[in-house]
Structures are given as C-alpha cells and as structure tokens.
Amino acid sequence: MNIDALATTARAMVAPGKGILAADESTGTIKKRFDSIDAESTEETRRAYRELLFTTEGAPKYVSGVILFDETLRQQASDGRPFPKVLADSGIIPGIKVDMGAKDLAGFPGEKVTDGLDGLRGRLAEYYDLGARFAKWRAVITIGDGIPTRTCIESNAHALARYAALCQESGLVPIVEPEVLMDGGHTIERCEEVTLATLERVYSELHGHRVVLEGTLLKPNMVLSGKDCPTQAGVGEVAAATLRCFLRVVPAAVPGIVFLSGGQTPEQATERLNAMNAMGDYPWELSFSYGRALQAPVLEAWRGSDANVGAAKRAYHHRAKLNGAARYGNYSREMEKVSV
Ligand code: 13P
C-alpha cells in the first residue's frame, strides 16, 4: 500500500475551491431522475447525459473528482475516449461507487445494511485498471421510533471499515459515507445525537481495521432538522450543530469532509456549506460531493433533448461555480440570480 499516493489523491479531491460531483446513480435511480423530466432511460441516453456533464468547459475549475457508476466507467464519449480518460484529461479524478445498495437488515424492521463486500477485492482491482482512483460506499442510518439500533450502526460501520481497508490495499481512496437520513419528523438535536453516535462507531471501526485516515475522505450528512419536523433549523444553526458534532468525533488526520446533499435543495446545500466555511478554520477541508444538489438544475435544463445540451452545461457550470464559492465562504444568494 502506497500511503503517500493515497494521501496525495485524497488531498487533491479537496483542493481549494473544488469539490466532487456524485454522478453514480444506479440504473434504477437514474431512471427515476429521467422519469421526472420525461426522458427515456436507455444505455445511450444515460451515456449522452453523462457526456454533457463530463465535457462541460470550465467545470474542472470547481470539480476535483466525479463518482461514476459501473456502467458509466465502461462507456465512452462521442470521440471514442473512455469516460475515465475524458475526466483525467481535463484534470478531474475518476471514482467509482462500489457498494451494491442498502438492503433490509434482517430482524431489524425499518433499518438497512449495505451489501457489496463479497468479491470486492477483485472488483477494486478491475476498477483501478479502468482508471478509477477513489471509491465510494454508502451506508444508510434511519431515524425513527426506537431506531437506529446499536446493531444497525455497528453492522454498517463494520462494513464501511472492511470496504475502506480493501480500497487502500488496491490503491483507491475510500470515500466513507455514513448517511443519517433527513426523512422523518425528528429534531435537529436528535440528528446531531445520531450522527455523533454513528461517526464515533465508524472511526472506531476504521481504526480497528488499520485504515490510514490520511488516505480517506468522509462523506456525511449535515446535521439537520428532519424533513417533517415542524421547526426547521436555520442556516446558522445547521452550520453550528454540524461543526460541533464533527469537531467532537472526526479525527484531524482526515483531509476532508465532503458533504452529501441528501434531499436539500441546491440553494440550501450551497448556503449551508458556505456558512460552515465562513465560520472559521478547521482541521479538515469542508467541501461537497453532491448528486441531486448539483444535477437537479442540469436535468431540468436538459430534459432529454440534444437541443438543450448547451443550456444544461451552463446550468451545471453555474451550480459548480456557486459551490466553488461556498468552499471559501464567498457565496451569497445574490449570485443565484446571474442568468445562465
Ligand atoms: P445526494 O447529494 O443527491 O444526496 O447524492 C450524493 C450521493 O452520492 C449519495 O450516495
């Protein structure tokens, strides 16, 4: 294992002013996104949509890495170059989602555990050969009546650590993603408590599995009020609660925290990241690894039509630029108004 190479890649993924595009929707998930804009989901439309994202001029100024799905890693741009090469040629690091999805945890109604460890070592070796330099594994923790249970948190943390250790062995930087869902009527205090307990367990397992933290990134939820909670915490409260939680539990050796958007609107995701970066200096970079919060305006502009590719690229560039500004605490709502 070359720790220096892993640490160099991890730091490049959270370079100043840059963050990650999560474009790793599984075939089922991207179909849902396409359904929402009345676009058909075929291998070719998925390829064309990803090509527009990966060939947007100027985006590499704000985007350090892109997370791909297995199908996309094997596809090519119209000029015949494989997508990992298209990205690498523009200075973007290609990554790959390697988990096989969150499945029902047997015996624990309402809770999930993530599949995908079987055969993972072999898949990682192939992904490295195809050009991937980092990987992602998402664990899902649900807040509800009597949940999450300790068993659910422990099972997911254990799987994340086994995945992370295998990634490092294969020369891939593991993005460790324990997502505490925002679904539900819980308070922000409850979200903070569950996020803290989850991260505490995740770092204990990573340590136990000899994962070198300098060669990892954390992809967490922000600490938020549940979606259906009658009192919604404001941007300042979200930023303060999130930072308090992470300062207590995320080791300083971790180079960066790259938030998921998790159902926040694009504006909320940018504004909250901005607020955290405006609040001060921290041991880790605070960045983004957004899926929906980067792509929602792009899909809306594209709507499956070749005629809209230019507008879709402009929408992506604009959103990436705003999140780039949020990396420095320089974003303001005024900047949303700039027409694209
Ligand atoms: P969202 O930003 O849409 O939550 O997606 C990020 C991601 O990669 C989820 O695994």
Side-chain angles (χ1 to χ4, degrees):
M1 190 198 313
N2 183 341
I3 291 300
D4 288 346
L6 289 170
T8 301
T9 303
R11 283 197 305 271
M13 290 164 67
V14 288
K18 296 188 189 188
I20 296 165
L21 166 67
D24 60 327
E25 299 84 1
S26 63
T27 311
T29 302
I30 197 74
K31 181 174 183 315
K32 277 191 229 152
R33 306 272 187 269
F34 281 15
D35 284 349
S36 75
I37 52 161
D38 292 323
E40 203 191 346
S41 180
T42 65
E43 193 176 338
E44 174 49 27
T45 58
R46 293 191 291 272
R47 193 207 62 75
Y49 172 64
R50 266 70 182 246
E51 175 163 356
L52 94 75
L53 290 172
F54 306 160
T55 57
T56 294
E57 252 178 67
K61 191 167 168 204
Y62 313 109
V63 177
S64 56
V66 174
I67 316 173
L68 305 168
F69 182 60
D70 182 277
E71 176 187 84
T72 320
L73 189 77
R74 301 171 194 278
Q75 286 179 322
Q76 301 176 348
S78 317
D79 65 8
R81 284 178 302 155
F83 279 144
K85 180 162 168 50
V86 171
L87 292 170
D89 285 351
S90 69
I92 292 178
I93 305 169
I96 177 77
K97 181 231 290 293
V98 302
D99 67 69
M100 307 290 267
K103 306 289 161 57
D104 289 344
L105 179 62
F108 291 81
E111 298 197 283
K112 306 267 183 198
V113 67
T114 304
D115 263 0
L117 288 172
D118 288 352
L120 182 57
R121 177 178 272 128
R123 290 196 288 128
L124 293 175
E126 189 194 6
Y127 289 144
Y128 187 96
D129 287 344
L130 288 168
R133 289 296 175 267
F134 69 93
K136 177 195 112 167
W137 177 290
R138 173 173 176 257
V140 175
I141 305 293
T142 309
I143 298 180
D145 247 1
I147 60 171
T149 61
R150 202 171 59 175
T151 304
C152 175
I153 291 177
E154 284 177 359
S155 307
N156 277 293
H158 181 80
L160 277 167
R162 286 190 55 198
Y163 140 82
L166 282 164
C167 284
Q168 291 197 329
E169 179 192 84
S170 302
L172 295 159
V173 170
I175 294 186
V176 174
E177 180 179 1
E179 174 174 4
V180 177
L181 296 177
M182 62 189 278
D183 300 337
H186 55 269
T187 61
I188 186 170
E189 288 80 11
R190 178 81 178 126
C191 178
E192 183 172 351
E193 180 180 78
V194 172
T195 303
L196 187 76
T198 302
L199 292 176
E200 189 274 323
R201 193 69 211 175
V202 165
Y203 281 102
S204 164
E205 289 284 344
L206 289 172
H207 187 67
H209 285 256
R210 301 182 176 169
V211 173
V212 181
L213 297 183
E214 287 83 350
T216 67
L217 293 177
L218 175 68
K219 175 163 174 167
N221 52 287
M222 294 183 194
V223 173
L224 304 170
S225 312
K227 225 166 38 191
D228 304 324
C229 180
T231 8
Q232 289 290 313
V235 58
E237 202 182 336
V238 166
T242 304
L243 286 166
R244 178 173 57 227
C245 177
F246 292 169
L247 282 167
R248 286 177 176 163
V249 76
V250 182
V254 174
I257 296 176
V258 293
F259 291 99
L260 57 91
S261 58
Q264 302 177 68
T265 65
E267 294 80 7
Q268 285 172 334
T270 308
E271 190 171 43
R272 290 164 176 171
L273 174 64
N274 184 71
M276 284 185 254
N277 276 311
M279 281 168 90
D281 282 331
Y282 302 97
W284 353 260
E285 293 291 324
L286 292 173
S287 185
F288 57 92
S289 175
Y290 294 158
R292 284 162 285 177
L294 274 170
Q295 294 186 60
V298 188
L299 286 163
E300 196 51 48
W302 179 56
R303 305 199 74 86
S305 163
D306 283 350
N308 297 333
V309 164
K313 286 186 170 194
R314 285 193 294 281
Y316 173 49
H317 184 271
H318 184 59
R319 205 70 238 156
K321 186 174 172 179
L322 297 183
N323 284 299
R327 289 280 280 108
Y328 297 108
N330 286 341
Y331 163 85
S332 70
R333 282 265 173 161
E334 285 299 295
M335 294 160 74
E336 295 285 346
K337 292 194 194 119
V338 177
S339 68
V340 290

PDB file of all heavy atoms in Angstrom, residues 22 24 136 138 177 219 260-262 289-292, ligand 1:
ATOM      1  N   ALA A  22     -21.194  13.819  -7.618  1.00  0.00           N
ATOM      2  CA  ALA A  22     -21.658  12.440  -7.499  1.00  0.00           C
ATOM      3  C   ALA A  22     -22.584  12.166  -8.684  1.00  0.00           C
ATOM      4  O   ALA A  22     -23.712  12.667  -8.732  1.00  0.00           O
ATOM      5  CB  ALA A  22     -22.388  12.232  -6.177  1.00  0.00           C
ATOM      6  N   ASP A  24     -23.103   8.937  -9.760  1.00  0.00           N
ATOM      7  CA  ASP A  24     -23.013   7.472  -9.658  1.00  0.00           C
ATOM      8  C   ASP A  24     -24.375   6.826  -9.455  1.00  0.00           C
ATOM      9  O   ASP A  24     -24.465   5.741  -8.867  1.00  0.00           O
ATOM     10  CB  ASP A  24     -22.081   7.102  -8.492  1.00  0.00           C
ATOM     11  CG  ASP A  24     -22.586   7.641  -7.160  1.00  0.00           C
ATOM     12  OD1 ASP A  24     -23.202   8.728  -7.154  1.00  0.00           O
ATOM     13  OD2 ASP A  24     -22.373   6.981  -6.119  1.00  0.00           O
ATOM     14  N   LYS A 136     -16.471   4.822  -3.531  1.00  0.00           N
ATOM     15  CA  LYS A 136     -17.494   5.286  -2.587  1.00  0.00           C
ATOM     16  C   LYS A 136     -18.352   4.126  -2.119  1.00  0.00           C
ATOM     17  O   LYS A 136     -18.683   3.228  -2.910  1.00  0.00           O
ATOM     18  CB  LYS A 136     -18.386   6.321  -3.268  1.00  0.00           C
ATOM     19  CG  LYS A 136     -19.527   6.814  -2.381  1.00  0.00           C
ATOM     20  CD  LYS A 136     -20.607   7.546  -3.152  1.00  0.00           C
ATOM     21  CE  LYS A 136     -21.876   6.736  -3.143  1.00  0.00           C
ATOM     22  NZ  LYS A 136     -23.053   7.503  -3.612  1.00  0.00           N
ATOM     23  N   ARG A 138     -21.844   3.727   0.424  1.00  0.00           N
ATOM     24  CA  ARG A 138     -22.832   4.475   1.214  1.00  0.00           C
ATOM     25  C   ARG A 138     -23.547   3.550   2.188  1.00  0.00           C
ATOM     26  O   ARG A 138     -24.082   2.505   1.799  1.00  0.00           O
ATOM     27  CB  ARG A 138     -23.856   5.111   0.267  1.00  0.00           C
ATOM     28  CG  ARG A 138     -25.038   5.781   0.939  1.00  0.00           C
ATOM     29  CD  ARG A 138     -25.855   6.516  -0.119  1.00  0.00           C
ATOM     30  NE  ARG A 138     -27.064   7.115   0.406  1.00  0.00           N
ATOM     31  CZ  ARG A 138     -28.292   6.608   0.239  1.00  0.00           C
ATOM     32  NH1 ARG A 138     -28.455   5.488  -0.435  1.00  0.00           N
ATOM     33  NH2 ARG A 138     -29.333   7.238   0.731  1.00  0.00           N
ATOM     34  N   GLU A 177     -19.007   6.858   3.511  1.00  0.00           N
ATOM     35  CA  GLU A 177     -20.266   7.617   3.509  1.00  0.00           C
ATOM     36  C   GLU A 177     -21.313   6.998   4.427  1.00  0.00           C
ATOM     37  O   GLU A 177     -22.081   6.132   4.005  1.00  0.00           O
ATOM     38  CB  GLU A 177     -20.833   7.716   2.082  1.00  0.00           C
ATOM     39  CG  GLU A 177     -22.139   8.502   2.030  1.00  0.00           C
ATOM     40  CD  GLU A 177     -22.734   8.645   0.629  1.00  0.00           C
ATOM     41  OE1 GLU A 177     -22.142   8.122  -0.335  1.00  0.00           O
ATOM     42  OE2 GLU A 177     -23.788   9.274   0.510  1.00  0.00           O
ATOM     43  N   LYS A 219     -17.784  11.323   3.831  1.00  0.00           N
ATOM     44  CA  LYS A 219     -18.939  11.919   3.137  1.00  0.00           C
ATOM     45  C   LYS A 219     -20.166  11.764   4.022  1.00  0.00           C
ATOM     46  O   LYS A 219     -20.856  10.738   3.978  1.00  0.00           O
ATOM     47  CB  LYS A 219     -19.154  11.236   1.778  1.00  0.00           C
ATOM     48  CG  LYS A 219     -20.397  11.710   1.046  1.00  0.00           C
ATOM     49  CD  LYS A 219     -20.363  11.346  -0.420  1.00  0.00           C
ATOM     50  CE  LYS A 219     -21.673  11.696  -1.091  1.00  0.00           C
ATOM     51  NZ  LYS A 219     -21.592  11.654  -2.557  1.00  0.00           N
ATOM     52  N   LEU A 260     -22.776  15.158   1.471  1.00  0.00           N
ATOM     53  CA  LEU A 260     -23.801  14.762   0.503  1.00  0.00           C
ATOM     54  C   LEU A 260     -24.924  15.783   0.618  1.00  0.00           C
ATOM     55  O   LEU A 260     -25.024  16.499   1.619  1.00  0.00           O
ATOM     56  CB  LEU A 260     -24.291  13.347   0.822  1.00  0.00           C
ATOM     57  CG  LEU A 260     -24.864  13.095   2.222  1.00  0.00           C
ATOM     58  CD1 LEU A 260     -26.357  13.325   2.263  1.00  0.00           C
ATOM     59  CD2 LEU A 260     -24.553  11.694   2.690  1.00  0.00           C
ATOM     60  N   SER A 261     -25.787  15.871  -0.393  1.00  0.00           N
ATOM     61  CA  SER A 261     -26.882  16.844  -0.283  1.00  0.00           C
ATOM     62  C   SER A 261     -28.128  16.209   0.318  1.00  0.00           C
ATOM     63  O   SER A 261     -28.884  16.901   1.023  1.00  0.00           O
ATOM     64  CB  SER A 261     -27.160  17.540  -1.611  1.00  0.00           C
ATOM     65  OG  SER A 261     -27.484  16.640  -2.645  1.00  0.00           O
ATOM     66  N   GLY A 262     -28.385  14.945   0.044  1.00  0.00           N
ATOM     67  CA  GLY A 262     -29.380  14.182   0.792  1.00  0.00           C
ATOM     68  C   GLY A 262     -30.830  14.626   0.707  1.00  0.00           C
ATOM     69  O   GLY A 262     -31.618  14.255   1.578  1.00  0.00           O
ATOM     70  N   SER A 289     -19.842  16.807  -2.100  1.00  0.00           N
ATOM     71  CA  SER A 289     -19.881  15.655  -3.010  1.00  0.00           C
ATOM     72  C   SER A 289     -21.355  15.467  -3.329  1.00  0.00           C
ATOM     73  O   SER A 289     -21.988  14.523  -2.874  1.00  0.00           O
ATOM     74  CB  SER A 289     -19.289  14.421  -2.334  1.00  0.00           C
ATOM     75  OG  SER A 289     -19.440  13.292  -3.179  1.00  0.00           O
ATOM     76  N   TYR A 290     -21.896  16.444  -4.071  1.00  0.00           N
ATOM     77  CA  TYR A 290     -23.341  16.499  -4.267  1.00  0.00           C
ATOM     78  C   TYR A 290     -23.781  15.744  -5.521  1.00  0.00           C
ATOM     79  O   TYR A 290     -23.123  15.797  -6.557  1.00  0.00           O
ATOM     80  CB  TYR A 290     -23.804  17.952  -4.402  1.00  0.00           C
ATOM     81  CG  TYR A 290     -23.646  18.800  -3.148  1.00  0.00           C
ATOM     82  CD1 TYR A 290     -23.577  20.198  -3.248  1.00  0.00           C
ATOM     83  CD2 TYR A 290     -23.599  18.231  -1.876  1.00  0.00           C
ATOM     84  CE1 TYR A 290     -23.456  20.996  -2.118  1.00  0.00           C
ATOM     85  CE2 TYR A 290     -23.476  19.023  -0.742  1.00  0.00           C
ATOM     86  CZ  TYR A 290     -23.397  20.405  -0.865  1.00  0.00           C
ATOM     87  OH  TYR A 290     -23.287  21.198   0.248  1.00  0.00           O
ATOM     88  N   GLY A 291     -24.912  15.061  -5.372  1.00  0.00           N
ATOM     89  CA  GLY A 291     -25.561  14.428  -6.505  1.00  0.00           C
ATOM     90  C   GLY A 291     -26.694  15.334  -6.958  1.00  0.00           C
ATOM     91  O   GLY A 291     -26.554  16.153  -7.873  1.00  0.00           O
ATOM     92  N   ARG A 292     -27.828  15.214  -6.234  1.00  0.00           N
ATOM     93  CA  ARG A 292     -29.011  15.987  -6.625  1.00  0.00           C
ATOM     94  C   ARG A 292     -28.768  17.498  -6.593  1.00  0.00           C
ATOM     95  O   ARG A 292     -29.244  18.225  -7.456  1.00  0.00           O
ATOM     96  CB  ARG A 292     -30.192  15.617  -5.718  1.00  0.00           C
ATOM     97  CG  ARG A 292     -30.801  14.284  -6.073  1.00  0.00           C
ATOM     98  CD  ARG A 292     -31.635  13.733  -4.946  1.00  0.00           C
ATOM     99  NE  ARG A 292     -30.809  13.214  -3.856  1.00  0.00           N
ATOM    100  CZ  ARG A 292     -31.284  12.719  -2.712  1.00  0.00           C
ATOM    101  NH1 ARG A 292     -32.591  12.713  -2.501  1.00  0.00           N
ATOM    102  NH2 ARG A 292     -30.477  12.241  -1.793  1.00  0.00           N
TER     103      ARG A 292
HETATM  104  P1  13P B   1     -27.026  13.431  -2.996  1.00  0.00           P
HETATM  105  O1  13P B   1     -26.130  14.633  -2.929  1.00  0.00           O
HETATM  106  O2  13P B   1     -28.104  13.544  -4.027  1.00  0.00           O
HETATM  107  O3  13P B   1     -27.538  13.028  -1.633  1.00  0.00           O
HETATM  108  O4  13P B   1     -26.148  12.237  -3.535  1.00  0.00           O
HETATM  109  C1  13P B   1     -24.891  12.063  -3.045  1.00  0.00           C
HETATM  110  C2  13P B   1     -24.572  10.625  -3.047  1.00  0.00           C
HETATM  111  O5  13P B   1     -23.586  10.225  -3.639  1.00  0.00           O
HETATM  112  C3  13P B   1     -25.439   9.716  -2.294  1.00  0.00           C
HETATM  113  O6  13P B   1     -24.798   8.487  -2.129  1.00  0.00           O
END
